[in-house]
Amino acid sequence: MRRDGTEHIKGRTKFKCPKISFAGGSPHCTCENPCSDAKYGRTVHLVMDENPRLFNDPPRSSEKWKLEYNARTSAERCNKREKLDYKLEDGRYRSSKMWYCRLFCIMMCQHLDAWSLPETSLQNLLGQAA
Ligand SMILES: [Zn+2]
């Protein structure tokens, strides 16, 4: 079956016979044994909510999905770095201001990491504070 688009309003994706030909002005199935009596050949609709890991939009084989996946994994790596490596949640603060201060220090450390500079005294100081 070949993917034939997504109906966002109905939340489903459509697959159709891969041997459909549009030659002669009207679509028709060119299978040796016609796969369906319908003029477009066999068509299957799959509801994406039932199994979103298998049938999703954009499709996993597309370049758009790869870009979204890369952005997602980048954000997850950033969250892991803040929570586990810099121990964001180990702070025993009650005020949101202290949480923001800690978070901003951690983000500065992440920027220092991204620059891949040799360890500076500021980075050591911020690393000890985190
Ligand atoms: Zn067919």
Side-chain angles (χ1 to χ4, degrees):
M1 301 301 280
R2 185 176 69 192
R3 184 181 282 267
D4 190 34
T6 303
E7 297 172 337
H8 294 284
I9 294 173
K10 295 181 179 177
R12 64 186 190 179
T13 186
K14 181 178 169 185
F15 292 86
K16 66 181 180 183
C17 173
K19 292 189 173 181
I20 290 178
S21 172
F22 291 88
S26 66
H28 57 280
C29 177
T30 58
C31 295
E32 291 178 16
N33 298 320
C35 55
S36 172
D37 294 336
K39 67 178 183 179
Y40 288 102
R42 181 167 301 279
T43 303
V44 176
H45 292 95
L46 295 172
V47 178
M48 291 185 289
D49 288 342
E50 290 178 358
N51 198 345
R53 294 187 68 84
L54 269 181
F55 309 109
N56 49 15
D57 188 46
R60 285 182 183 259
S61 58
S62 69
E63 193 66 28
K64 187 178 177 185
W65 185 85
K66 188 175 181 181
L67 288 174
E68 279 189 30
Y69 182 80
N70 288 343
R72 168 77 185 265
T73 57
S74 172
E76 292 297 330
R77 283 192 304 271
C78 182
N79 290 342
K80 179 256 179 195
R81 186 86 174 135
E82 291 170 356
K83 288 183 176 178
L84 299 180
D85 297 342
Y86 284 111
K87 301 179 180 178
L88 173 65
E89 295 175 337
D90 285 1
R92 299 174 62 91
Y93 311 117
R94 298 181 84 182
S95 77
S96 59
K97 290 178 186 173
M98 286 303 294
W99 278 103
Y100 281 121
C101 287
R102 186 179 180 88
L103 184 60
F104 287 140
C105 287
I106 288 172
M107 289 191 295
M108 283 189 279
C109 288
Q110 283 183 302
H111 279 281
L112 291 174
D113 290 344
W115 291 342
S116 68
L117 294 173
E119 287 197 11
T120 63
S121 59
L122 175 64
Q123 192 175 13
N124 287 335
L125 182 66
L126 293 175
Q128 290 172 357

